[in-house]
Amino acid sequence: MDGVDYLADERKKAEFDVEAMKVVWAGSPHNLEVSDRISKLVADDPGFRKDDRTMLPRKELFKNTLRKAAYAWKRIVELRLSEEEASKLRFYVDESAYTDLHWGMFIPAIKGQGTDGQQQKWLPLAYKMQIIGCYAQTELGHGSNVQGLETTSTFDPHTDEFVIHSPTLTSSKWWPGGLGKVSTHAIVYARLLLNGKDHGVHGFIVQLRSLEDHTPLPGITVGDIGMKFGNGAYNTMDNGVLRFDHVRIPRNQMLMRVSEVTREGKYKQSDVPRQLVYGTMVYVRQRIVADASCYLSRAVCIATRYSAVRRQFGSQNGGPETQVIDYKTQQNRLFPLLASAYAFRFVGEWLEWLYMDVTKRLQASDFSTLPEAHACTAGLKSLTTSVTADGIEECRKLCGGHGYLCSSGLPELFAVYVPACTYEGDNVVLLLQVARFLIKTVSQLGTGKQPVGTIAYMGRIEHLMQCRSSAQRAEDWSKPSQVLEAFEARAARMSVSVACNLSKFTNPEEGFAELSADLVEAAVAHCQLIVVSKFIEKLKQDIPGEGVKQQLEALFGIYSLSLLHKHQGDFLGTSYLTPKQAALANDHLRSLYTKVRPNAIALVDAFNYSDHFLSSILGRYDGNVYPKLYEAAWKDPLNESVVPDGYLEYVRPLLKQQLHTARL
Amino acid sequence: MDGVDYLADERKKAEFDVEAMKVVWAGSPHNLEVSDRISKLVADDPGFRKDDRTMLPRKELFKNTLRKAAYAWKRIVELRLSEEEASKLRFYVDESAYTDLHWGMFIPAIKGQGTDGQQQKWLPLAYKMQIIGCYAQTELGHGSNVQGLETTSTFDPHTDEFVIHSPTLTSSKWWPGGLGKVSTHAIVYARLLLNGKDHGVHGFIVQLRSLEDHTPLPGITVGDIGMKFGNGAYNTMDNGVLRFDHVRIPRNQMLMRVSEVTREGKYKQSDVPRQLVYGTMVYVRQRIVADASCYLSRAVCIATRYSAVRRQFGSQNGGPETQVIDYKTQQNRLFPLLASAYAFRFVGEWLEWLYMDVTKRLQASDFSTLPEAHACTAGLKSLTTSVTADGIEECRKLCGGHGYLCSSGLPELFAVYVPACTYEGDNVVLLLQVARFLIKTVSQLGTGKQPVGTIAYMGRIEHLMQCRSSAQRAEDWSKPSQVLEAFEARAARMSVSVACNLSKFTNPEEGFAELSADLVEAAVAHCQLIVVSKFIEKLKQDIPGEGVKQQLEALFGIYSLSLLHKHQGDFLGTSYLTPKQAALANDHLRSLYTKVRPNAIALVDAFNYSDHFLSSILGRYDGNVYPKLYEAAWKDPLNESVVPDGYLEYVRPLLKQQLHTARL
């Protein structure tokens, strides 16, 4: 029945102040207020309805996304929303669209790489959406290796223009979101050719379509690259293909903040430090980590609520069956993901601080922390997106058969999230970058260069190489210091061990290639340590609200000890732990599941997600799952008629043994 | 260019007889001949085209599936295909349809549970497809717990009929394939009520739709349950919902082979042993394991070929970049999956034998091997489907960004495969069944009851609890006996350890619940051992063909040692291995990657999959990836017009700052 809360009993069990936890999750009372207000605004507006999304054919789906994007912009203008509110609104509309790239890549690229003059010219147009831009970097043949891009931009001194060209098939731009059907402009990355000399990849502002009738300009071939994973998912986005046939643009449309081309065709570096691009990278990846906690928490919220609704087996004397959330196997899969969602939230929060710190230092020309900040954001991007993608799919499986229905919301969530493992740096490539940084750090130990930031623990290498866990009872694992030392010792030992194996190779690059799988494992150990240590730092803060800190402590234990169990081989293999101590950690982990169980529903309520945002019948706030699943089924297009289209042509002749005369 | 083999160089590198390997993969020269012939027949017939599948809206998609199913049946009849050939044809058509359930569940259920008279009446109709049947077991509220089904079948002695009824919303049948829009009949599982007494769940043949006009019969509400994961995927199937409002069927439509209801309404067991149902279960699960090797090998074939085509980084002196298959990180993810595909193929072959053995024994009323066979098939179903689902997604990620396009074939493959982890027994529930069997076996050690079959190693428990690996050099890990002992010792020790912890509980069921996560891990260790040992048995057979056995030996090493590395914690934790020995195993594993690398393309060619069957541009036999990706993009419906639908309504007003007057 509508209006009844089927999960009320679960909510009564909570041992902490849910409203206070909402503030913790949101980051501040202000954040919570804005999020709550804007999410309700979106949820209550039928213009943002999304429950029919997985049933629409591509063209209708896309057209509807165009409508929503325009409507969102209209509402933003009408309501005079602040930048913060506008970005929240787009977030809660929750439909990938060309506007993501316009606001998230096109504008920031002009801000970061354009001169003051270029910014003055282009930004006002972009802010008012009088032009719509995308970010055309990736090509058919090159993604990870940006330096291998093939599109060329040749300076023509006679006309003071660049000639943008696609010399090969593989040089076709491929993937940029918003490019396929919408963008009027693009930042195009191309090799700068001056007088026959290749100056490497640079960015250029190129108009693609007429502002009058939207047709592609001469020399430009542009289109959509076709269907992607999932029903709705990223198919609301016009990821595009783009080819240039000697397209001319004025010289002043090269983004010239860092280096410029003069009227005479000379290449000049400006005095703006090149390291600035790292600042942008830190920013983008910090956003990705924040997104990871958001996507993972959505999936966990759905799976947790449904696990409390679903009952299976274990009926005694005709009573109700057991809620599946009460099974330890379910807890053992679900609760570590719940804990990970919180862990990623806190490490994301810390990354926001890191980004500000890096920006401040860059402005003061202090580049000393950049390598560490770069390695740390690369690693955390890789770690959190991989765990989130796998975690969403695990949550789907935790919902049993019904998780396979689109109305569960989980297939859509997986399909729309999973490219995060590939874009902005393939996750394995990023881990190898982290590994390089680790090896370099190890090689510099003892040279007097003190490791800083997230790698500071390497400064205590002698202790970390020799110490042994002092855990003697399961409860010893409730101490954060106990856990932290274990993760530090493991990470340090794995880095040192692989560095030691590397030193046996005469050619270091050959060694790096040969041992790359081990290097990746060392990098993962380091990244997990960062998350663990930032969670501990969070726990040291003053956290108001009855019982809130206790819950976070339990989640910290679950996050770290489930990792310790999963990677037991590392901890035992580096001889920091004995098998007995590892078993004690596992015993403690189990006891934490019991502790979190009564609070599970309240812990996902604290995310404060509306039913509109979750878009999942299984994850409904009120737990009224079965009647709503039943209702939703009848909305499928196949149910428009009782007898299906095709019955007369293809089923009846078969049943009537008249196939031989049928046209098939 | 068409007609050029871009992978020819790769194929030349092969160090073994690919044609001989094709026979090994197919199982026999006969199997290869039939598969090859039928797969070409399907691939060459435009009636079975499937490259447009992900672009069709649901209704068109479904209608096209109806057409294909009828067309397939027409061809089967016209060509007078044998049962073997017909089933191969359906396999290569590769589109889930109602016929899967008709042939795979409806007919076998009548054969297995129907009396001779019932078989004589119903089977001829079904064989000619004069009726179309499905298998209606799962309900909205009950999947895993079959004994909890709620649909009732009440005998009415006055009319000699059963009254089938859906007493609650959760008793609605939900999920059966073919039910939603097509089936004329169903095997309905319902609680048998006689004189107010509940005799548990039984099967009934119920007509659902008129054979004249296909409308549902009185009292029956039936429809499709809506969109599922993926674009095409299982949306070609009409998974259905079904409710009964006191629907009457004649008494003789209860499947009465094992127990019957007399005219007087008495319940009678027949002398047919109930254990027969286990035979069916072994059969179904053996088919699922065979499917796992097929799906995994498809994904691996695509990822391997594309990894040889794709180049990224590592260009020296302007030469070509490195093929991504040459990166150890790629090999470390891809080759264990390649090895798993082969491993699952061989364990699937062995399961075929097991099924025949079980059948023979059942006919002779020998039930002694049933518990072991049941545990073993349950465990292998769980293990192989989990690895395959994750493996397909891993292969997709190994293809980088382009793997996210539907034209890569991988999103579709994942979405259509992944329900295998849930249907026919949820994978975690199955592992708990295996664990129960393991604990029981441990508890009976020393009672004189000798463990048989795949659990026979437990008979050597004393040795296995004490032995230590003798590996001293990396090459020692090339001996299958060395590997086998490691897996036996690990599995035995994990079972004994958890059994020991269980004995500390006064209430065994409580202990079983509390330790269920550990139990699942012990079950996985046991199942992996089975796969390892069956691979070894295969290697002991006479395998003709130059270099074939050597390749299989290398794959065996990769399969087992990559598992050993992944589960290092188990091997170290049970003190069978030292960290040093585990590191040596890993060194050997790396050397095997190098050995397999030049043979990788040939090893996936040996699957003998046509481009039609793979349905993947990235996995094309000729490696001509980029031009075909480019071509395919333009076929998307969004590219039907240069300016997209919705431009005038939703994009132009935005660009022209006229949103305030636009209708959105």
Side-chain angles (χ1 to χ4, degrees):
Chain A
M1 268 192 318
D2 287 349
V4 176
D5 180 1
Y6 292 89
L7 290 171
D9 284 349
E10 286 290 336
R11 297 193 163 100
K12 274 185 215 137
K13 289 183 199 165
E15 299 157 324
F16 69 97
D17 178 345
V18 183
E19 291 306 312
M21 188 67 93
K22 283 184 184 175
V23 175
V24 172
W25 180 262
S28 72
H30 168 79
N31 287 357
L32 176 61
E33 185 279 321
V34 178
S35 295
D36 190 62
R37 178 162 46 83
I38 302 289
S39 85
K40 282 183 180 140
L41 189 146
V42 172
D44 292 344
D45 189 333
F48 294 126
R49 198 189 135 187
K50 57 178 178 165
D51 57 344
D52 55 348
R53 196 160 53 183
T54 58
M55 285 180 268
L56 298 176
R58 180 88 201 275
K59 274 169 88 167
E60 283 177 50
L61 177 72
F62 184 71
K63 187 174 176 182
N64 196 31
T65 303
L66 294 182
R67 182 191 59 75
K68 280 193 202 178
Y71 183 60
W73 184 233
K74 186 182 179 187
R75 294 299 288 152
I76 288 166
V77 174
E78 281 172 355
L79 298 170
R80 297 166 192 252
L81 297 188
S82 68
E83 209 177 301
E84 181 193 12
E85 291 166 327
S87 111
K88 282 262 184 258
L89 184 132
R90 278 190 292 268
F91 173 82
Y92 284 113
V93 167
D94 186 40
E95 190 154 300
S96 303
Y98 66 90
T99 41
D100 300 348
L101 289 305
H102 178 77
W103 295 103
M105 301 289 283
F106 182 72
I107 289 176
I110 295 174
K111 276 189 184 169
Q113 299 165 48
T115 61
D116 290 347
Q118 288 175 321
Q119 297 191 34
Q120 275 157 29
K121 173 175 176 187
W122 295 100
L123 288 180
L125 294 168
Y127 282 139
K128 288 197 209 140
M129 298 202 83
Q130 291 176 288
I131 61 173
I132 298 169
C134 67
Y135 188 88
Q137 178 175 300
T138 302
E139 296 175 355
L140 194 46
H142 287 90
S144 294
N145 183 11
V146 177
Q147 295 314 315
L149 293 176
E150 298 176 80
T151 303
T152 54
S153 175
T154 311
F155 182 60
D156 179 351
H158 304 296
T159 60
D160 199 22
E161 289 172 319
F162 290 107
V163 182
I164 314 279
H165 188 60
S166 309
T168 59
L169 181 76
T170 47
S171 73
S172 309
K173 293 294 173 189
W174 190 269
W175 275 118
L179 166 64
K181 291 286 153 187
V182 181
S183 295
T184 61
H185 290 68
I187 308 286
V188 173
Y189 288 87
R191 316 197 73 79
L192 172 62
L193 300 180
L194 296 176
N195 245 322
K197 184 165 178 232
D198 185 336
H199 289 267
V201 173
H202 290 72
F204 302 82
I205 301 178
V206 185
Q207 183 174 350
L208 305 176
R209 293 179 166 94
S210 154
L211 289 170
E212 278 318 304
D213 63 9
H214 210 63
T215 53
L217 297 188
I220 283 174
T221 306
V222 62
D224 185 274
I225 59 170
M227 289 293 287
K228 289 144 289 183
F229 204 162
N231 313 75
Y234 253 100
N235 293 307
T236 58
M237 181 70 88
D238 54 330
N239 295 91
V241 48
L242 170 64
R243 288 183 61 75
F244 299 99
D245 182 6
H246 301 92
V247 171
R248 289 177 169 264
I249 58 168
R251 179 171 57 88
N252 66 13
Q253 286 179 213
M254 169 172 152
L255 293 171
M256 300 220 210
R257 185 167 179 209
V258 175
S259 45
E260 62 172 315
V261 171
T262 66
R263 177 63 191 91
E264 297 75 35
K266 288 255 154 52
Y267 186 73
K268 267 175 59 183
Q269 296 274 9
S270 78
D271 51 4
V272 176
R274 300 195 139 251
Q275 286 90 337
L276 271 183
V277 298
Y278 288 103
T280 316
M281 243 186 224
V282 171
Y283 174 75
V284 171
R285 289 178 181 160
Q286 167 247 315
R287 291 302 319 146
I288 294 179
V289 173
D291 277 351
S293 75
C294 174
Y295 276 87
L296 183 56
S297 57
R298 281 168 78 170
V300 165
C301 180
I302 295 168
T304 303
R305 286 182 182 160
Y306 181 60
S307 295
V309 170
R310 182 74 170 176
R311 293 171 179 272
Q312 204 79 180
F313 293 113
S315 161
Q316 278 164 353
N317 309 321
E321 294 171 278
T322 306
Q323 292 167 284
V324 301
I325 199 174
D326 283 325
Y327 290 104
K328 274 281 182 300
T329 45
Q330 192 84 353
Q331 295 175 7
N332 188 48
R333 295 160 74 196
L334 181 59
F335 290 172
L337 294 173
L338 172 63
S340 299
Y342 275 92
F344 294 171
R345 191 71 173 187
F346 299 144
V347 83
E349 225 173 68
W350 170 75
L351 277 177
E352 267 184 69
W353 169 85
L354 184 76
Y355 171 63
M356 289 193 306
D357 183 63
V358 164
T359 309
K360 235 183 290 167
R361 286 171 189 266
L362 282 179
Q363 282 160 354
S365 292
D366 167 8
F367 308 126
S368 64
T369 63
L370 257 188
E372 188 262 324
H374 181 251
C376 150
T377 45
L380 289 173
K381 183 272 177 186
S382 174
L383 180 77
T384 57
T385 55
S386 289
V387 170
T388 297
D390 294 350
I392 295 170
E393 170 60 10
E394 185 75 357
C395 285
R396 199 191 58 70
K397 291 205 185 90
L398 284 166
C399 293
H402 301 342
Y404 189 63
L405 283 171
C406 286
S407 55
S408 78
L410 291 164
E412 181 83 347
L413 202 62
F414 180 75
V416 86
Y417 185 73
V418 84
C421 297
T422 310
Y423 63 53
E424 292 301 320
D426 174 88
N427 279 354
V428 173
V429 174
L430 291 179
L431 288 175
L432 286 171
Q433 292 177 7
V434 175
R436 252 180 221 284
F437 171 72
L438 292 175
I439 297 304
K440 196 171 169 192
T441 304
V442 170
S443 73
Q444 292 175 338
L445 289 175
T447 63
K449 195 171 175 339
Q450 205 56 22
V452 295
T454 54
I455 193 79
Y457 66 102
M458 286 280 198
R460 289 175 282 114
I461 191 71
E462 283 184 34
H463 170 71
L464 290 176
M465 291 302 289
Q466 286 163 9
C467 59
R468 297 275 179 278
S469 169
S470 61
Q472 294 184 325
R473 299 163 311 150
E475 305 80 68
D476 289 341
W477 285 108
S478 65
K479 296 177 208 150
S481 60
Q482 184 81 248
V483 174
L484 184 62
E485 188 184 80
F487 277 81
E488 286 182 341
R490 165 205 182 211
R493 290 173 199 202
M494 287 176 78
S495 284
V496 168
S497 157
V498 65
C500 177
N501 289 334
L502 271 177
S503 66
K504 295 172 193 157
F505 288 80
T506 42
N507 179 339
E509 278 313 303
E510 213 173 86
F512 200 85
E514 181 66 20
L515 299 179
S516 55
D518 296 350
L519 285 158
V520 163
E521 288 179 10
V524 168
H526 171 69
C527 297
Q528 288 175 344
L529 165 62
I530 299 177
V531 183
V532 164
S533 65
K534 296 305 160 192
F535 206 142
I536 292 177
E537 282 180 18
K538 180 78 191 180
L539 291 176
K540 284 183 186 156
Q541 292 174 16
D542 181 36
I543 302 174
E546 199 194 325
V548 169
K549 188 175 261 187
Q550 285 82 338
Q551 288 306 314
L552 294 179
E553 282 165 351
L555 290 173
F556 166 73
I558 290 176
Y559 178 72
S560 52
L561 297 181
S562 62
L563 281 181
L564 189 146
H565 182 66
K566 188 174 164 198
H567 297 274
Q568 218 181 104
D570 294 350
F571 292 89
L572 297 174
T574 56
S575 303
Y576 176 79
L577 283 188
T578 63
K580 170 80 186 150
Q581 288 172 318
L584 290 175
N586 211 27
D587 288 345
H588 186 59
L589 175 60
R590 249 190 347 260
S591 75
L592 291 173
Y593 292 156
T594 308
K595 200 159 173 178
V596 159
R597 164 62 188 96
N599 298 287
I601 296 298
L603 283 168
V604 301
D605 284 349
F607 303 146
N608 201 39
Y609 294 146
S610 69
D611 280 346
H612 171 272
F613 185 62
L614 286 179
S615 197
S616 164
I617 293 177
L618 304 188
R620 286 173 64 92
Y621 181 85
D622 66 6
N624 189 23
V625 167
Y626 295 120
K628 295 295 178 181
L629 271 181
Y630 188 81
E631 250 177 70
W634 301 102
K635 293 179 190 155
D636 192 87
L638 270 194
N639 288 328
E640 284 165 14
S641 61
V642 175
V643 175
D645 256 21
Y647 163 73
L648 284 177
E649 304 94 309
Y650 310 128
V651 180
R652 191 179 157 84
L654 183 147
L655 287 167
K656 295 294 176 191
Q657 315 289 296
Q658 293 162 342
L659 273 187
H660 51 285
T661 57
R663 289 189 52 193
L664 301 175
Chain B
M1 270 192 316
D2 287 351
V4 175
D5 180 3
Y6 292 88
L7 289 171
D9 284 348
E10 286 291 335
R11 297 194 163 101
K12 274 184 213 137
K13 289 185 200 162
E15 298 158 323
F16 68 98
D17 179 345
V18 182
E19 291 306 312
M21 189 65 95
K22 284 184 183 172
V23 175
V24 172
W25 180 263
S28 71
H30 167 80
N31 286 357
L32 176 60
E33 185 280 320
V34 178
S35 294
D36 190 62
R37 178 162 44 84
I38 302 289
S39 85
K40 283 182 179 139
L41 190 146
V42 172
D44 293 344
D45 189 334
F48 294 125
R49 200 188 134 187
K50 58 179 177 165
D51 56 343
D52 55 349
R53 195 160 52 184
T54 57
M55 286 179 267
L56 299 175
R58 179 91 201 273
K59 273 169 90 165
E60 283 178 48
L61 177 73
F62 184 70
K63 187 174 175 182
N64 196 31
T65 303
L66 294 182
R67 183 191 59 73
K68 280 195 202 179
Y71 183 60
W73 184 232
K74 186 182 180 189
R75 294 299 290 151
I76 287 167
V77 173
E78 281 172 354
L79 298 169
R80 297 166 193 254
L81 297 188
S82 67
E83 208 176 303
E84 182 193 12
E85 291 166 327
S87 110
K88 282 263 184 256
L89 185 132
R90 277 190 291 269
F91 173 80
Y92 284 115
V93 167
D94 186 40
E95 190 154 303
S96 303
Y98 66 90
T99 41
D100 300 349
L101 288 306
H102 178 78
W103 295 102
M105 301 291 282
F106 181 72
I107 289 177
I110 295 174
K111 275 189 183 171
Q113 299 165 46
T115 61
D116 290 349
Q118 289 174 320
Q119 295 192 34
Q120 276 157 30
K121 171 173 177 190
W122 295 100
L123 288 179
L125 294 168
Y127 282 139
K128 288 197 208 143
M129 301 203 79
Q130 290 176 289
I131 60 174
I132 298 169
C134 67
Y135 188 88
Q137 179 177 300
T138 302
E139 296 174 354
L140 194 48
H142 286 91
S144 294
N145 183 12
V146 178
Q147 296 313 316
L149 293 176
E150 297 176 80
T151 304
T152 54
S153 175
T154 311
F155 183 60
D156 178 352
H158 304 296
T159 61
D160 199 21
E161 289 172 317
F162 289 109
V163 183
I164 314 281
H165 188 61
S166 308
T168 60
L169 180 77
T170 47
S171 75
S172 307
K173 292 294 173 189
W174 190 270
W175 277 117
L179 166 65
K181 290 287 151 183
V182 181
S183 296
T184 60
H185 289 68
I187 309 285
V188 173
Y189 288 86
R191 317 199 71 81
L192 172 62
L193 301 179
L194 295 176
N195 244 326
K197 185 169 177 228
D198 184 337
H199 290 268
V201 173
H202 289 72
F204 301 83
I205 301 177
V206 185
Q207 183 174 350
L208 306 176
R209 292 178 167 95
S210 153
L211 289 170
E212 278 318 305
D213 62 8
H214 210 63
T215 52
L217 298 188
I220 284 175
T221 305
V222 63
D224 185 273
I225 58 170
M227 289 293 287
K228 290 145 288 185
F229 204 163
N231 314 76
Y234 253 100
N235 293 307
T236 58
M237 181 70 88
D238 53 330
N239 296 92
V241 49
L242 170 65
R243 290 185 58 76
F244 298 99
D245 182 7
H246 301 94
V247 172
R248 290 178 169 264
I249 58 167
R251 180 172 55 89
N252 66 12
Q253 288 180 209
M254 169 173 153
L255 292 171
M256 300 219 209
R257 186 166 176 209
V258 175
S259 45
E260 62 172 315
V261 171
T262 65
R263 177 65 190 90
E264 297 75 33
K266 286 255 154 53
Y267 186 72
K268 266 176 59 182
Q269 297 274 7
S270 79
D271 50 5
V272 176
R274 299 196 139 248
Q275 285 90 338
L276 271 184
V277 298
Y278 287 104
T280 315
M281 242 186 226
V282 171
Y283 174 75
V284 171
R285 288 177 183 164
Q286 167 246 315
R287 291 303 317 149
I288 293 179
V289 173
D291 277 351
S293 75
C294 174
Y295 275 88
L296 183 55
S297 57
R298 281 168 77 168
V300 165
C301 180
I302 295 168
T304 303
R305 286 181 181 161
Y306 181 60
S307 296
V309 170
R310 181 74 171 176
R311 293 171 179 272
Q312 203 80 178
F313 292 113
S315 163
Q316 277 164 354
N317 309 319
E321 293 171 278
T322 306
Q323 292 166 283
V324 300
I325 198 174
D326 283 325
Y327 291 104
K328 274 281 180 301
T329 43
Q330 193 85 353
Q331 295 175 8
N332 187 49
R333 294 159 75 195
L334 182 59
F335 291 172
L337 294 172
L338 171 63
S340 299
Y342 275 91
F344 294 170
R345 192 71 172 188
F346 300 144
V347 82
E349 227 173 69
W350 170 76
L351 276 177
E352 268 184 66
W353 170 86
L354 183 76
Y355 171 62
M356 288 193 309
D357 183 64
V358 164
T359 311
K360 235 184 288 168
R361 286 173 190 266
L362 283 179
Q363 282 159 356
S365 291
D366 167 7
F367 308 126
S368 64
T369 63
L370 257 189
E372 188 262 324
H374 181 251
C376 151
T377 46
L380 289 173
K381 184 271 177 185
S382 173
L383 180 76
T384 58
T385 55
S386 288
V387 170
T388 296
D390 294 349
I392 295 170
E393 171 60 9
E394 183 75 355
C395 285
R396 199 190 60 68
K397 290 205 186 90
L398 284 166
C399 293
H402 300 344
Y404 189 63
L405 283 171
C406 286
S407 55
S408 78
L410 291 165
E412 180 85 346
L413 203 63
F414 179 76
V416 85
Y417 185 73
V418 84
C421 297
T422 311
Y423 63 54
E424 292 300 320
D426 174 88
N427 279 354
V428 172
V429 174
L430 290 180
L431 288 175
L432 287 171
Q433 292 176 10
V434 175
R436 253 180 220 285
F437 170 71
L438 292 175
I439 297 304
K440 195 170 170 194
T441 304
V442 171
S443 74
Q444 291 174 341
L445 289 176
T447 62
K449 195 169 170 350
Q450 204 56 22
V452 295
T454 54
I455 193 79
Y457 66 101
M458 286 281 198
R460 288 175 282 115
I461 192 71
E462 284 186 31
H463 170 70
L464 290 177
M465 292 302 289
Q466 286 162 9
C467 58
R468 296 277 179 279
S469 170
S470 62
Q472 294 184 325
R473 298 164 312 148
E475 306 80 68
D476 289 341
W477 285 106
S478 66
K479 297 177 207 150
S481 60
Q482 183 81 248
V483 174
L484 184 63
E485 189 184 79
F487 277 82
E488 285 182 343
R490 166 206 182 209
R493 289 173 199 202
M494 287 176 77
S495 285
V496 168
S497 157
V498 64
C500 176
N501 287 336
L502 271 177
S503 66
K504 294 172 195 158
F505 287 80
T506 41
N507 178 340
E509 279 312 304
E510 214 172 85
F512 201 85
E514 181 67 17
L515 300 178
S516 54
D518 297 349
L519 286 157
V520 163
E521 288 179 10
V524 168
H526 172 69
C527 296
Q528 289 176 343
L529 165 61
I530 299 177
V531 182
V532 164
S533 66
K534 296 305 160 192
F535 206 142
I536 292 177
E537 282 180 17
K538 180 78 190 178
L539 292 175
K540 285 185 184 153
Q541 291 174 17
D542 182 35
I543 301 174
E546 200 194 323
V548 170
K549 188 174 261 187
Q550 284 82 337
Q551 289 306 315
L552 295 179
E553 283 165 351
L555 290 173
F556 166 73
I558 290 175
Y559 178 72
S560 52
L561 297 181
S562 62
L563 281 181
L564 189 146
H565 182 67
K566 188 176 163 197
H567 297 274
Q568 218 181 102
D570 294 351
F571 292 88
L572 297 173
T574 56
S575 303
Y576 176 78
L577 284 188
T578 64
K580 170 81 185 152
Q581 289 172 319
L584 290 175
N586 210 28
D587 289 345
H588 187 59
L589 175 60
R590 246 189 350 258
S591 74
L592 291 173
Y593 292 157
T594 309
K595 200 161 175 178
V596 158
R597 164 63 188 94
N599 299 287
I601 297 297
L603 282 167
V604 301
D605 284 349
F607 304 146
N608 201 40
Y609 294 144
S610 68
D611 280 347
H612 171 272
F613 185 62
L614 286 179
S615 198
S616 164
I617 292 178
L618 304 188
R620 286 173 64 93
Y621 181 85
D622 65 5
N624 188 24
V625 168
Y626 295 120
K628 296 295 176 180
L629 271 180
Y630 188 80
E631 253 177 68
W634 301 103
K635 294 179 190 154
D636 191 89
L638 269 194
N639 289 326
E640 283 165 14
S641 61
V642 175
V643 174
D645 257 23
Y647 163 73
L648 285 176
E649 303 95 310
Y650 310 127
V651 179
R652 193 179 156 83
L654 184 147
L655 288 166
K656 297 293 177 193
Q657 316 287 297
Q658 293 162 342
L659 274 187
H660 51 284
T661 56
R663 290 189 52 194
L664 302 176

